Amino acid sequence: MATPVRKCPVSHTDFNTNTEIYGHYAMLDAEREASRFRFNDTTDRGFLMLQRYDDVVEGFQHHETWTTEVRSAINPEPGVPLLPQDLNGEAHAKLRRVLNPFFSPAAVRRMTPMAHERCVELIEELKPKGGCDFVAEFAIRYPTDLFLALLGLPVSDGEFFLPWSETVFAGFFGEDPVKVAAAKKNIMEYFDQAVRERRANPRDPKEDMVSRLVEARIDGEPISHEDILTICLTLMLAGLDTTRSALGYIYAHLARNDADRQAIIDHPDLAPKAVEEFLRMYPLVFQAGREVQEPTEFHGVDLRPGDVVWLGIAQANRDPRKFPEPDRFVLDRKGVNQHIAFGAGPHRCLGMHLARLELQIVLREWHERIPHYRIKEGTQLVERGGQLTLTTLPLEWEV
């Protein structure tokens, strides 16, 4: 007889709290090794934790009956509407088809010269200073500039756009709601103006994303103005904080591990392999949530409609059953491309090719210009819970 989900071993771990760097990975690894399935009771609804690689990958394939009505197991309330994430089934697939051409490998290759040029400009600006707060002065500025370019908007707008987006991100983690509302209003007005401008002066929809969204038809109907604004906001929320976070963990690792850094200095062509291993080792979106729509039995656990499932992305990526010595950075790791840092199934991250490009370019160009750096002495690195990021990363180097 199958076990009701609430009869699984119970976890009381709250993953929304801040810890020292790598604290969440330690907690997640311990939970995975304690038992195959766990029921976590730290939210009003609770959730079944799928934690081992094979279970998590299988869970992502249940997309017809486990839906994104819940996107995060630890924050199950709907929150800010997101598109296409909030859609499922055919409606999700149709909107993805509109967006996919701008995130395909070929589209990302077209962005390479601009991405390279902007990366070099930012590094050269920082290099003479002999130090910076890497997450605030580089790791968020770079993806913000590329996001604006992707939408066909002036990169120079980053000067006022960046503080707004930072305030909105902070809103997910306790920032003053009045400030957050004002920043979100500014962003939506900015997107609104951009979309209206494209309606008046359309560009080539094959190359300009906002023009594509304006002229696209789904089942013969245009995408509503409101939905276009939501898509723009979603791309911002999905693409900026995650890239900043990935860069923070990569550079915290390299500042502390001279041999790994030297390998990238000596062999810049290894950047793509290094990026995959970093994504496996330090996934920032450490879980995805799903809501069960139909009665299901999953390997002896009974799930009912309305139950919440945790798909443990970080636990899968660090599962020793799949990746031996998962805590060790291995540049030539066999099968590393089977990591699921970008999720799996139809909701797999739309921007994964762009994220890879950004991270690879930064690894190559930074180490060509600032090969040796260290974390400022006395710094305590704090890891934000919920969706991992380092709150600060002060780096120093010789000028």
Side-chain angles (χ1 to χ4, degrees):
M1 187 175 147
T3 306
V5 64
R6 283 158 189 78
K7 298 289 186 188
C8 290
V10 175
S11 164
H12 308 300
T13 307
D14 179 359
F15 295 99
N16 275 313
T17 56
N18 290 359
T19 67
E20 64 182 357
I21 187 171
Y22 312 136
H24 289 84
Y25 297 128
M27 293 191 288
L28 291 161
D29 291 345
E31 297 264 332
R32 180 194 60 238
E33 297 310 312
S35 58
R36 181 179 177 185
F37 303 120
R38 294 174 87 67
F39 179 75
N40 186 292
D41 64 0
T42 58
T43 66
D44 289 344
R45 296 173 68 175
F47 48 88
L48 173 70
M49 298 176 73
L50 307 191
Q51 312 181 95
R52 298 182 181 174
Y53 182 88
D54 290 345
D55 290 333
V56 177
V57 170
E58 185 181 341
F60 272 114
Q61 306 312 320
H62 277 256
H63 49 84
E64 289 182 9
T65 53
W66 298 2
T67 68
T68 58
E69 297 291 327
V70 168
R71 299 187 301 250
S72 165
I74 52 179
N75 295 300
E77 299 316 308
V80 179
L82 299 179
L83 288 173
Q85 284 94 315
D86 287 346
L87 301 175
N88 289 276
E90 196 54 33
H92 175 258
K94 286 173 181 175
L95 182 52
R96 285 282 290 235
R97 282 197 283 274
V98 171
L99 296 168
N100 281 342
F102 288 89
F103 294 94
S104 68
V108 166
R109 278 195 295 276
R110 285 198 299 273
M111 284 189 72
T112 300
M114 193 282 297
H116 179 271
E117 182 185 334
R118 188 63 189 130
C119 180
V120 171
E121 282 173 8
L122 287 170
I123 297 167
E124 291 292 355
E125 182 188 312
L126 291 170
K127 186 180 172 182
K129 296 180 178 179
C132 69
D133 180 349
F134 183 76
V135 295
E137 295 179 65
F138 181 86
I140 191 64
R141 287 177 66 196
Y142 181 53
T144 299
D145 290 350
L146 293 199
F147 165 75
L148 292 168
L150 179 73
L151 289 187
L153 301 169
V155 168
S156 56
D157 288 357
E159 283 184 34
F160 54 81
F161 188 87
L162 181 55
W164 295 341
S165 63
E166 282 290 75
T167 304
V168 170
F169 290 132
F172 293 107
F173 306 98
E175 176 61 89
D176 174 4
V178 176
K179 279 190 195 169
V180 175
K184 187 183 173 198
K185 181 170 179 283
N186 287 335
I187 287 173
M188 296 311 272
E189 285 173 356
Y190 175 81
F191 289 149
D192 179 70
Q193 191 179 338
V195 173
R196 291 182 191 282
E197 195 278 328
R198 287 300 192 279
R199 289 190 193 281
N201 303 291
R203 299 182 190 176
D204 181 352
K206 289 191 178 70
E207 294 190 1
D208 183 75
M209 187 189 293
V210 177
S211 299
R212 162 88 167 160
L213 291 170
V214 166
E215 66 94 36
R217 297 292 181 271
I218 295 177
D219 296 334
E221 294 295 319
I223 302 171
S224 73
H225 186 75
E226 199 58 41
D227 281 355
I228 292 176
L229 299 186
T230 299
I231 291 166
C232 292
L233 181 68
T234 302
L235 296 176
M236 181 199 96
L237 293 174
L240 305 194
D241 193 47
T242 48
T243 305
R244 177 245 304 271
S245 303
L247 284 168
Y249 280 86
I250 289 170
Y251 276 75
H253 178 101
L254 292 173
R256 290 168 150 182
N257 293 274
D258 295 351
D260 294 339
R261 187 174 73 250
Q262 195 63 48
I264 290 163
I265 294 166
D266 294 342
H267 304 285
D269 56 314
L270 290 176
K273 284 185 176 179
V275 164
E276 293 311 308
E277 177 67 340
F278 281 129
L279 289 168
R280 180 203 66 77
M281 199 170 171
Y282 302 122
L284 319 151
V285 179
F286 56 79
Q287 56 85 35
R290 295 291 186 264
E291 185 181 78
V292 177
Q293 302 302 321
E294 294 177 9
T296 315
E297 186 197 324
F298 189 84
H299 295 282
V301 180
D302 266 340
L303 292 158
R304 302 188 301 241
D307 282 344
V308 176
V309 178
W310 151 300
L311 300 172
I313 291 169
Q315 292 165 304
N317 272 7
R318 299 165 61 86
D319 184 351
R321 298 159 191 80
K322 177 68 179 175
F323 300 107
E325 295 184 274
D327 267 332
R328 197 161 73 82
F329 178 80
V330 181
L331 249 178
D332 267 330
R333 182 178 291 278
K334 193 178 171 189
V336 68
N337 61 350
Q338 292 172 35
H339 73 74
I340 55 167
F342 295 113
H347 286 89
R348 195 175 187 200
C349 173
L350 180 66
M352 61 186 176
H353 301 302
L354 179 58
R356 286 181 164 117
L357 172 79
E358 291 173 342
L359 298 174
Q360 289 170 20
I361 287 175
V362 173
L363 273 184
R364 282 194 291 262
E365 300 309 322
W366 183 282
H367 289 98
E368 186 177 318
R369 289 162 179 80
I370 308 174
H372 300 293
Y373 46 90
R374 60 192 173 271
I375 298 169
K376 188 177 178 183
E377 203 172 329
T379 302
Q380 272 199 309
L381 295 179
V382 176
E383 178 172 280
R384 184 193 71 198
Q387 181 172 300
L388 303 185
T389 199
L390 299 179
T391 54
T392 182
L393 180 62
L395 296 181
E396 298 175 330
W397 54 86
E398 307 304 328
V399 176

